[in-house]
Amino acid sequence: MANTIALAEQYLPLLDEVYQAESKTSILDLGSADVKFTGGNKIEIFDIEMDGLGNYSRATGFPAGDVTGTWTPYTMDFDRAKSFNVDSMDDEETLGQTFGNLVGQFIRTKVVPETDAIRFAKYATAAGLKKTGVITDAVAEIDDAEAALNDAEVPTEGRIMFVSEDFYKLLKNKITRYVANETGINHLVEVYDEMPIVRVPKTRFNDAVQVGANGYTANGNAIDFMIVHPGAVKQVVKHVKPRIFDPDTNQSADGWKFDYRLYHTAFVPKNKVNGIYVHTA
């Protein structure tokens, strides 16, 4: 058992590093601290509404106003898991590479892409600012998006722009920017109008997704680009449980066993929908 614990301690930090390095939505994680867990599969967000200014009366003084606060419930809707067995001889004959590669590859190629795809689909569906059509001028489309966000009084500070590779190519071709040095030519566009640019693979960037017994399938319309203010989204991971069992502990087979469970959701509070602008193909 001691060896199993040591192995788990060795791999678990790696799992976190893989997620942070490869996930496209991890940049939005910080906006989810004010979630209230109420038990079971429910979580709640506090919403507040209040009256605006009224006319002051020199006879009666200040006009009365109402403040209404409500807890809005949301449901944890993705409880995903998988279990793997690696035969002890297979692992020994590959000098431990089989099991070690399984752990990292599973997180990087299965867990992270699905989690990103779910989140982007949810945000695209909930977005209050939407546009669809064929894009010919990437810069003009971004200008329209920023104008819509500004009119909706979404803060300019902190906005993040997620882009498909096709849209990114249109944007690069529209902007003349070359930086030459001893190592070559840099034509990257990493920030636009103070918004960090995050490039997203097309399999993760659609406005609908179907999860099944063996992964996920991207459905719906492809997303061209999405501008998100982090305060508009909530990414909630209620439970994540990676478990590692050595062959002596594994009761089902003579081999290493790796279990992984992720219980999570993502949503947009009802008062924050205009914090997301999405353009779909």
Side-chain angles (χ1 to χ4, degrees), residues 227-271:
I227 299 177
V228 180
H229 190 276
V233 302
K234 303 297 178 184
Q235 300 180 165
V236 182
V237 177
K238 186 175 184 180
H239 183 71
V240 57
K241 188 67 174 180
R243 303 193 305 178
I244 297 172
F245 301 94
D246 67 10
D248 291 333
T249 309
N250 184 358
Q251 299 297 303
S252 59
D254 177 21
W256 291 92
K257 185 180 182 184
F258 172 57
D259 295 343
Y260 189 88
R261 183 184 180 191
L262 177 63
Y263 190 29
H264 72 108
T265 192
F267 56 88
V268 181
K270 63 181 182 180
N271 292 333

Side-chain angles (χ1 to χ4, degrees), residues 7-273:
L7 188 64
E9 290 175 346
Q10 174 184 342
Y11 281 117
L12 296 190
L14 171 63
L15 303 188
D16 183 60
E17 290 174 6
V18 168
Y19 167 74
Q20 294 295 336
E22 300 295 334
S23 171
K24 304 303 179 181
T25 57
S26 62
I27 194 173
L28 299 171
D29 280 345
L30 294 180
S32 304
D34 55 347
V35 175
K36 175 183 177 182
F37 291 95
T38 58
N41 66 342
K42 300 296 183 183
I43 52 180
E44 293 184 349
I45 293 290
F46 189 72
D47 297 312
I48 187 168
E49 296 181 1
M50 64 192 74
D51 294 336
L53 287 169
N55 290 326
Y56 181 82
S57 170
R58 297 193 179 188
T60 60
F62 293 93
D66 284 335
V67 177
T68 303
T70 57
W71 286 97
T72 302
Y74 297 87
T75 301
M76 301 289 300
D77 48 0
F78 292 95
D79 196 352
R80 306 286 285 161
K82 190 65 74 173
S83 180
F84 296 95
N85 276 290
V86 175
D87 186 88
S88 59
M89 291 298 98
D90 288 340
D91 193 56
E92 179 181 300
E93 290 167 358
T94 59
L95 301 178
Q97 293 300 307
T98 301
F99 185 77
N101 287 333
L102 163 68
V103 173
Q105 290 291 337
F106 176 69
I107 303 296
R108 182 167 51 252
T109 66
K110 303 299 181 182
V111 176
V112 170
E114 178 181 301
T115 305
D116 279 347
I118 287 171
R119 290 171 173 176
F120 283 127
K122 285 212 162 196
Y123 301 155
T125 300
L129 305 175
K130 300 181 180 181
K131 188 176 180 180
T132 187
V134 178
I135 294 178
T136 56
D137 189 333
V139 170
E141 292 295 345
I142 296 175
D143 288 344
D144 288 347
E146 290 187 279
L149 289 164
N150 293 341
D151 284 341
E153 301 188 40
V154 178
T156 57
E157 298 83 3
R159 295 177 188 174
I160 301 167
M161 183 161 58
F162 300 90
V163 302
S164 69
E165 288 296 337
D166 287 340
F167 182 82
Y168 182 73
K169 182 169 65 175
L170 288 174
L171 181 61
K172 279 209 311 180
N173 289 339
K174 189 71 175 179
I175 298 173
T176 302
R177 178 186 179 278
Y178 294 95
V179 178
N181 54 39
E182 294 85 353
T183 60
I185 297 175
N186 183 356
H187 190 204
L188 296 175
V189 181
E190 298 176 319
V191 178
Y192 188 92
D193 284 353
E194 299 185 347
M195 296 182 290
I197 294 177
V198 180
R199 297 157 64 179
V200 185
K202 61 182 178 181
T203 54
R204 308 186 198 183
F205 215 32
N206 295 267
D207 63 3
V209 64
Q210 180 67 45
V211 298
N214 192 30
Y216 77 99
T217 304
N219 295 326
N221 301 304
I223 299 172
D224 296 310
F225 72 97
M226 178 186 294
I227 299 177
V228 180
H229 190 276
V233 302
K234 303 297 178 184
Q235 300 180 165
V236 182
V237 177
K238 186 175 184 180
H239 183 71
V240 57
K241 188 67 174 180
R243 303 193 305 178
I244 297 172
F245 301 94
D246 67 10
D248 291 333
T249 309
N250 184 358
Q251 299 297 303
S252 59
D254 177 21
W256 291 92
K257 185 180 182 184
F258 172 57
D259 295 343
Y260 189 88
R261 183 184 180 191
L262 177 63
Y263 190 29
H264 72 108
T265 192
F267 56 88
V268 181
K270 63 181 182 180
N271 292 333
K272 301 293 183 65
V273 296

